[in-house]
Amino acid sequence: MGDSIFNCCYVPPHPPGDREPPRSRRTDIMTSHIPSDKRFLIFFDFDETIVDETSDDMVVQAAPGQHLPGWLKDTYQPGRYNEYMQRVLAYLAEQGVTESDIRNVMEKMPATPGMITLFQFLRTRPQTDFEVVLLSDANTFFIESWLRRAGARQLFHRIFTNPSTFNKDGRLVMRPFHSHDCQRCPDNMCKQVVVRDYVARRTQERGRPYQRVFYVGDGANDFCPALSLGPRDVAFPRRDFPMHRLITETHEAMPGEFKAVTVPWVNAEEVVNRLRKYVTE
């Protein structure tokens, strides 16, 4: 099946070349192309959730000698990773790394164990079952490159990530997704803001809530959106990764603060097994 009929479902957060949008919670999410008859909503993170690598680390393989100079690494500041990656991408362009070089590296990232099986499960379910959304702090080019190579692009109704485009000099320019006030998250993206806005908008459009909302992730920035899930919803943290540890610590320190059912996984086939139970309810 080709990707073209699904491309209408992706709307960049703001057009390439625009200035950063004003501080807002991005209530302008456009979802008019998505059918309103889905029973379940499932969010996926990308790095170390769908793919078994971090794409920002993998892109370094395109650099001369497959490493970055020390002076560049030293420019990283906590909470400002997006800005650091823009410097990395500028350096790669200066070293003659091309769009094709970067795409080739992205396409080679392995899927996490069982993830392709999970995708196949979602794809073969009745069309009224799952609305599938990808939410990532990577960027459009990295994600689209991998999904298209894996034949999985058509599975996702929406992709929320940092917009990126190649400029006339061949440099991949990445922009912040939005601005927000969350103290937990990096300046360029709070996934909880996106999840809350999306669920609220879609519930309004549909005229009813989803039976359940699922979130599949691994990192600390996946813990924040999972906090917005309710007691009927399910968080699927990758076992022993930061998201799982933060959920465990929250249960111990503040019982009742984290409301969702928690199902840790090592192999994504464990997610499939749990989803099979929910779709038969």
Side-chain angles (χ1 to χ4, degrees):
M1 182 183 296
D3 291 343
S4 58
I5 61 172
F6 295 90
N7 289 344
C8 64
C9 299
Y10 173 67
V11 181
H14 57 283
D18 276 10
R19 291 176 300 170
E20 182 179 346
R23 293 186 67 83
S24 71
R25 296 208 164 192
R26 297 212 55 81
T27 55
D28 58 340
I29 293 171
M30 298 173 62
T31 55
S32 58
H33 295 294
I34 304 175
S36 293
D37 58 353
K38 309 291 186 183
R39 294 197 293 150
F40 305 104
L41 173 61
I42 183 166
F43 290 96
F44 282 88
D45 171 51
F46 183 68
D47 291 317
E48 295 193 291
T49 296
I50 290 177
V51 293
D52 207 15
E53 302 282 355
T54 300
S55 55
D56 285 348
D57 293 340
M58 286 294 291
V59 76
V60 175
Q61 293 190 6
Q66 299 189 348
H67 71 272
L68 300 176
W71 64 262
L72 179 55
K73 294 179 183 178
D74 291 343
T75 66
Y76 168 69
Q77 294 178 305
R80 305 181 85 79
Y81 193 79
N82 186 269
E83 296 172 23
Y84 168 72
M85 278 308 300
Q86 292 182 66
R87 291 190 291 273
V88 170
L89 294 171
Y91 170 79
L92 293 178
E94 291 165 3
Q95 300 301 309
V97 175
T98 67
E99 177 178 348
S100 178
D101 294 334
I102 296 176
R103 181 183 293 107
N104 288 340
V105 169
M106 293 302 117
E107 290 178 345
K108 293 174 183 175
M109 290 189 293
T112 52
M115 188 56 61
I116 300 303
T117 300
L118 174 51
F119 285 176
Q120 290 170 342
F121 168 78
L122 294 173
R123 185 179 289 146
T124 57
R125 291 300 305 171
Q127 298 229 343
T128 54
D129 271 0
F130 290 97
E131 182 172 326
V132 188
V133 176
L134 197 157
L135 176 54
S136 169
D137 201 8
N139 66 78
T140 53
F141 184 77
F142 289 3
I143 292 170
E144 294 271 359
S145 295
W146 190 88
L147 290 179
R148 292 184 187 283
R149 179 64 174 176
R153 175 62 185 90
Q154 66 269 28
L155 179 64
F156 293 90
H157 294 92
R158 287 299 309 267
I159 296 175
F160 296 107
T161 188
N162 301 297
S164 60
T165 53
F166 284 88
N167 66 13
K168 57 182 175 55
D169 299 320
R171 170 187 165 191
L172 183 59
V173 179
M174 182 170 63
R175 302 186 185 281
F177 177 75
H178 65 179
S179 297
H180 61 85
D181 299 316
C182 178
Q183 299 301 307
R184 288 191 198 89
C185 295
D187 291 346
N188 60 291
M189 175 178 278
C190 171
K191 293 183 176 182
Q192 182 176 144
V193 170
V194 182
V195 168
R196 284 187 179 276
D197 284 354
Y198 189 84
V199 173
R201 175 62 61 88
R202 292 293 288 140
T203 299
Q204 181 181 30
E205 290 174 349
R206 291 155 45 86
R208 65 190 186 284
Y210 297 92
Q211 289 183 24
R212 295 182 190 270
V213 177
F214 305 108
Y215 192 102
V216 186
D218 74 283
N221 66 346
D222 296 310
F223 171 71
C224 190
L227 276 171
S228 69
L229 301 179
R232 282 187 56 79
D233 302 328
V234 185
F236 290 101
R238 197 171 179 188
R239 184 178 293 278
D240 296 330
F241 278 66
M243 180 187 180
H244 183 211
R245 290 196 291 269
L246 286 168
I247 292 173
T248 302
E249 291 168 5
T250 302
H251 279 310
E252 294 172 353
M254 295 176 285
E257 177 72 12
F258 191 87
K259 299 177 178 61
V261 176
T262 304
V263 181
W265 58 280
V266 174
N267 187 303
E269 291 186 20
E270 298 167 65
V271 179
V272 174
N273 293 336
R274 183 57 66 100
L275 292 179
R276 286 190 195 280
K277 296 178 182 178
Y278 289 127
V279 297
T280 58
E281 290 180 337

